[in-house]
Amino acid sequence: LRRGTTRKLRSRYETAYPHQCWQLDGKGPFPVTIAGVSRRVHVLSVIDDYSRYLLASVVVVSRGEDTAAAVRVLRLALDTYGLPERMQFDRGSAFDALDFRRGLALLGIHRNWVTARAAEAQGKIEAYHRVLTRWFVSELRHQEVLSVDHLEDLLHATLDLLYHRHRHRQLKMTPTQALQGRLSPRRVSTDDLHRAFWGSVKAKSHPKTGEVHLPNGAFRVPARYAGHRLTFRFDHAVPERAVLLLRTGDELALEPFVVKRAFATPPAAPPRGAGQLQKLLDRWRGHERPNAFPGFGLP
């Protein structure tokens, strides 16, 4: 009673078919050593409530669960599987952002209402997070991670080869068998899907260079608009996509502002990382390597 908790028994709800409800949440932060530097990492995931199948997942480094990461992971799921009828997530600032909620409303996706600090309502994705901790996060302490892209590939390989093929105790089958590759009958065009989550902001460009800083990066406006305070629309998930909103209502596409480098060298191909998760990634990419590691007495 002192803690304010109650012993009220909760009801269990189950969806009737795939893509009736999706759950979105983030795991983290947890430390990962990337190229010799310790970084704070979050993993954002979208799962199907009916099959527990992982529809999309992304890795976010340092900045945490923000609107850009939430839009990115949800857009990956929507591009592949179509639109769900409902979505459920907690009251995080990234999910309560105006642009994120407006995008869901424009697409006709209903949001289930949940109260703050009620983790029990997210039971299915919280169970997935416990599996992610045992099979992926704990294994990263013994895995060499070369870059953020390499870490994301390791995550996708682990989920595709282990999580999706593991028999679920409640479903009595694997998530892959439960979903059976079914897509949602609710679809929209790619342009409508991508423009639903755009944001709007007013900013002033530099009078000499035409450089303007938006939340998703720096852009260059045409010379006749340099030095003026104007309205811009930008894509949260894509750094190189923004438009200038003219007084006539038309949109003018902007190009990213590029700083010239005096001496540019092509990047070298990253080496292969060492660790148990790397074997899953090799098999996921289709070129499996021998199981033995070099050691004393071995060539």
Side-chain angles (χ1 to χ4, degrees):
L1 293 177
R2 217 178 264 119
R3 293 182 303 176
T5 58
T6 61
R7 300 189 62 84
K8 177 183 176 182
L9 297 179
R10 295 181 173 270
S11 300
R12 177 185 294 175
Y13 68 91
E14 294 286 347
T15 52
Y17 46 86
H19 309 300
Q20 184 180 12
C21 181
W22 291 357
Q23 292 196 16
L24 167 62
D25 199 5
K27 167 68 179 176
F30 52 90
V32 178
T33 302
I34 303 177
V37 180
S38 180
R39 311 287 293 274
R40 292 166 58 88
V41 174
H42 288 76
V43 175
L44 268 69
S45 307
V46 179
I47 67 170
D48 177 49
D49 189 281
Y50 175 81
S51 62
R52 276 71 160 182
Y53 191 90
L54 186 77
L55 305 175
S57 62
V58 297
V59 172
V60 185
V61 179
S62 298
R63 68 176 187 268
E65 302 176 11
D66 56 1
T67 305
V71 171
R72 179 188 167 198
V73 67
L74 181 58
R75 186 178 291 173
L76 289 174
L78 295 173
D79 276 332
T80 307
Y81 297 97
L83 306 182
E85 297 180 10
R86 293 173 172 268
M87 284 209 64
Q88 183 160 325
F89 38 80
D90 57 24
R91 301 296 306 277
S93 59
F95 312 135
D96 260 354
L98 179 61
D99 292 337
F100 189 79
R101 291 187 287 114
R102 183 192 294 119
L104 294 178
L106 291 175
L107 296 175
I109 302 174
H110 182 80
R111 173 187 177 182
N112 293 346
W113 174 256
V114 296
T115 58
R117 302 184 183 278
E120 294 84 359
Q122 300 279 99
K124 296 181 179 64
I125 198 167
E126 293 294 342
Y128 154 75
H129 284 163
R130 290 192 292 269
V131 174
L132 191 67
T133 300
R134 292 195 301 267
W135 292 354
F136 181 72
V137 177
S138 299
E139 192 64 33
L140 285 175
R141 291 176 294 182
H142 316 288
Q143 170 67 43
E144 181 184 8
V145 181
L146 305 175
S147 63
V148 178
D149 293 337
H150 184 223
L151 177 62
E152 198 164 86
D153 288 342
L154 292 172
L155 171 65
H156 293 161
T158 303
L159 296 174
D160 285 346
L161 298 180
L162 295 182
Y163 175 77
H164 286 160
R165 305 183 186 186
H166 186 76
R167 186 176 184 271
H168 196 280
R169 287 182 296 179
Q170 185 174 350
L171 297 176
K172 302 298 188 290
M173 64 181 70
T174 66
T176 302
Q177 294 171 341
L179 184 64
Q180 295 181 354
R182 285 173 285 186
L183 305 179
S184 173
R186 305 180 65 233
R187 312 286 293 189
V188 295
S189 65
T190 304
D191 185 65
D192 291 341
L193 175 60
H194 286 194
R195 293 302 295 267
F197 294 98
W198 281 42
S200 179
V201 66
K202 288 187 176 181
K204 182 179 180 180
S205 59
H206 195 276
K208 293 185 178 181
T209 62
E211 180 183 7
V212 58
H213 290 274
L214 302 181
N216 66 333
F219 296 86
R220 184 193 295 273
V221 301
R224 61 183 180 275
Y225 300 110
H228 297 281
R229 185 176 181 85
L230 302 169
T231 302
F232 300 88
R233 299 203 65 208
F234 62 95
D235 192 342
H236 280 282
V238 182
E240 298 83 10
R241 189 177 299 171
V243 296
L244 169 62
L245 190 62
L246 304 178
R247 295 181 179 179
T248 59
D250 299 328
E251 294 180 348
L252 180 63
L254 300 178
E255 297 182 356
F257 187 86
V258 180
V259 178
K260 296 183 178 180
R261 301 296 180 183
F263 307 100
T265 57
R272 177 179 177 272
Q276 295 297 323
L277 293 176
Q278 183 66 39
K279 294 192 296 184
L280 289 175
L281 179 57
D282 292 338
R283 195 172 72 185
W284 184 63
R285 289 175 173 173
H287 46 83
E288 191 170 1
R289 292 172 178 253
N291 195 24
F293 285 95
F296 181 78
L298 296 177

